[in-house]
Amino acid sequence: LRLHRALRWLQLFLEGLRTGREDSRTSVICTDSYNASLATYHPWVVRKAATVAFCTLPPRNTFLEIMNVGTPEEAVAMLGEALPYICDVYGITQELFAQHKLLDLP
């Protein structure tokens, strides 16, 4: 379940990277993704520590270059190809967890 929740964060983060402007701050994209997914399950001190850690992320284009896929444009294209698969995996596991009433575990 924790990996499933982390997959949701990853999905949101990568989508934010893919759709963000060139001057978007990766730390903001990451924080927004975290707040929309994992933050719900963490106590205040962990949420604050995570937010501080996100401030160390490089700018969006640098992050995309570090992915070692090619240019930032090529990385964005690769994300566009990969994200549907991530969404499918998340959707399938979400449905399975819901069917078996496992979504409310701590």
Side-chain angles (χ1 to χ4, degrees), residues 81-101:
E81 294 173 18
L83 275 163
Y85 296 109
I86 294 171
C87 293
D88 289 347
V89 169
Y90 179 81
I92 291 166
T93 55
Q94 178 75 10
E95 186 177 316
L96 287 171
F97 278 122
Q99 283 176 2
H100 298 285
K101 297 178 179 30

Side-chain angles (χ1 to χ4, degrees), residues 12-21 24-26 29 33 59-61 63-64 67 76 79:
L12 294 172
F13 177 62
L14 294 178
E15 182 62 30
L17 282 176
R18 187 183 75 78
T19 59
R21 296 187 330 245
S24 297
R25 293 179 50 209
T26 308
I29 295 169
S33 301
R60 178 183 173 270
N61 279 352
F63 191 93
L64 292 172
M67 288 176 60
V76 167
L79 288 174

Side-chain angles (χ1 to χ4, degrees), residues 4-42:
H4 174 67
R5 291 171 180 166
L7 182 62
R8 177 68 176 152
W9 165 81
L10 180 65
Q11 175 190 357
L12 294 172
F13 177 62
L14 294 178
E15 182 62 30
L17 282 176
R18 187 183 75 78
T19 59
R21 296 187 330 245
E22 282 189 30
D23 63 344
S24 297
R25 293 179 50 209
T26 308
S27 61
V28 173
I29 295 169
C30 193
T31 300
D32 291 345
S33 301
Y34 175 77
N35 287 337
S37 57
L38 292 174
T40 305
Y41 307 104
H42 293 158

Side-chain angles (χ1 to χ4, degrees), residues 27 31 34 44-57:
S27 61
T31 300
Y34 175 77
W44 178 87
V45 72
V46 172
R47 289 192 310 264
K48 294 304 170 191
T51 302
V52 169
F54 299 152
C55 291
T56 66
L57 291 172

